[in-house]
Amino acid sequence: LSASRACAERPPILDSNEEIRPSRSLKSCEVMVNVLSMPFVAILCTATLASAASRTHLRGVHNNSRTITARDRFQKSPCHCQIDSKLWARPTRTQPKCIFIDLGAGSGGNVEAWVNNKFGPIENCPSGQWEAILVEANPLFEPALKEVAAKYPDQVHLNSSSAAYMCESKTAFYLDTKDVQAHYWGMGSSGDSATPEISMLGPDLNKVEVDTLNINRLLTENTIPGDWVMMKMDIEGAEFDIIPCMAEAPASVLVDRLYLEQHDPSWGLEGATPAVMQTSLSGLRTRGIDIPAFSPA
């Protein structure tokens, strides 16, 4: 264990040469908890790490001579960053296990990578048990995700048609269900569907409204200190909104490893710069989170 791990003793990362032991016990420590009042806007259409073919793109959309960027598309904030709440339930279980949280699960291919030990031998998990929590905003992936859940009953838990974010509200995005080769790229939007940019893109876009899911609440309600928690975050720019909020949340200490794919900072909607992101990541590392380079399993 590194001497820099703050506020908690944590089990080592998955390693083929040693067993993971539920050694983490939260120590008494004070965590500065300040609810951020800055507006945040959900950015949708998440992505999967397992296959580039299953990605849902939220990049700038070209129409004639104009590129419609994420900042063009989002005008209103659906909710604000929430780092904790007394109303959030705490787990009652005491037996630790591995928890894989896949944000931007796509078709669920990373579960197979997990089961096949691509992220480390799952037999080393505490108590030899594991669960996976999959979060995916694009409803077109729901049939594939249900197949994955059916294959691993009571182990894979779905949050389909839910957008990973740092607060709870509703937002909408737009899917081109006809363009299979583009993998059903979508557009996030928290505003009215009758916006100029939507009319410019034509009638083939279908508006889909989804709930936003607070990642801080997800951690609080589903993990305990003895767990070994791995989070994969590939959510097409929303990381620039989520990570600064997560860095302030007490539940962040529950994460052991974070695979983060960073996109263009302009895809975030709170104006977080690369410097802000690096400061937030440094704070998470100080809390004991291993953040290796992002790469396919």
Side-chain angles (χ1 to χ4, degrees):
L1 293 176
S2 170
S4 66
R5 292 178 180 251
C7 300
E9 295 178 351
R10 313 168 68 88
I13 61 176
L14 283 171
D15 189 284
S16 59
N17 297 320
E18 67 178 302
E19 178 185 1
I20 290 186
R21 296 178 298 275
S23 60
R24 175 170 54 185
S25 59
L26 292 181
K27 297 180 179 179
S28 59
C29 63
E30 294 183 359
V31 179
M32 297 300 293
V33 178
N34 296 311
V35 177
L36 303 181
S37 59
M38 300 181 294
F40 288 83
V41 183
I43 183 167
L44 276 304
C45 299
T46 54
T48 178
L49 166 65
S51 171
S54 63
R55 291 181 184 271
T56 301
H57 299 288
L58 227 180
R59 295 166 174 79
V61 179
H62 296 272
N63 187 71
N64 297 327
S65 61
R66 180 188 176 195
T67 297
I68 300 174
T69 65
R71 196 165 295 277
D72 290 328
R73 299 195 296 265
F74 292 84
Q75 302 298 327
K76 295 184 294 184
S77 172
C79 54
H80 300 269
C81 171
Q82 185 175 15
I83 60 175
D84 200 0
S85 173
K86 293 181 179 179
L87 299 178
W88 295 351
R90 268 58 178 177
T92 58
R93 65 178 173 89
T94 58
Q95 188 175 49
K97 59 183 69 176
C98 281
I99 305 290
F100 172 33
I101 301 175
D102 193 353
L103 307 180
S107 60
N110 282 315
V111 173
E112 292 299 329
W114 169 266
V115 171
N116 291 321
N117 301 316
K118 300 298 185 181
F119 296 102
I122 58 175
E123 62 265 22
N124 289 350
C125 288
S127 305
Q129 300 182 28
W130 65 271
E131 293 184 19
I133 302 172
L134 311 184
V135 181
E136 173 56 55
N138 189 341
L140 297 179
F141 287 119
E142 188 166 351
L145 290 172
K146 287 184 176 179
E147 289 184 10
V148 175
K151 186 175 181 179
Y152 302 100
D154 301 323
Q155 289 180 289
V156 173
H157 310 285
L158 301 183
N159 289 276
S160 55
S161 299
S162 298
Y165 214 50
M166 83 296 284
C167 52
E168 296 172 358
S169 185
K170 289 184 180 294
T171 192
F173 65 98
Y174 298 81
L175 293 176
D176 181 356
T177 57
K178 295 183 179 180
D179 195 351
V180 179
Q181 291 186 345
H183 315 304
Y184 309 116
W185 56 264
M187 291 181 58
S189 175
S190 61
D192 195 307
S193 60
T195 57
E197 57 268 29
I198 298 304
S199 61
M200 288 174 63
L201 286 166
D204 291 336
L205 294 179
N206 293 334
K207 181 179 179 180
V208 178
E209 187 175 70
V210 299
D211 294 323
T212 59
L213 187 150
N214 190 330
I215 301 310
N216 298 322
R217 181 172 185 174
L218 181 71
L219 287 167
T220 299
E221 296 190 336
N222 293 277
T223 65
I224 62 175
D227 291 336
W228 191 84
V229 179
M230 189 187 87
M231 177 181 289
K232 187 225 80 183
M233 186 182 297
D234 185 3
I235 46 179
E236 303 301 313
E239 68 274 5
F240 278 90
D241 297 338
I242 293 177
I243 291 296
C245 181
M246 182 176 165
E248 300 292 330
S252 66
V253 301
L254 296 168
V255 178
D256 291 279
R257 176 175 289 176
L258 171 63
Y259 286 100
L260 172 68
E261 179 166 357
Q262 293 190 48
H263 300 83
D264 189 318
S266 68
W267 296 0
L269 300 169
E270 276 304 300
T273 64
V276 170
M277 173 65 82
Q278 291 308 309
T279 298
S280 299
L281 291 175
S282 295
L284 292 175
R285 289 188 176 99
T286 299
R287 294 187 175 195
I289 302 177
D290 177 39
I291 309 177
F294 184 92
S295 63

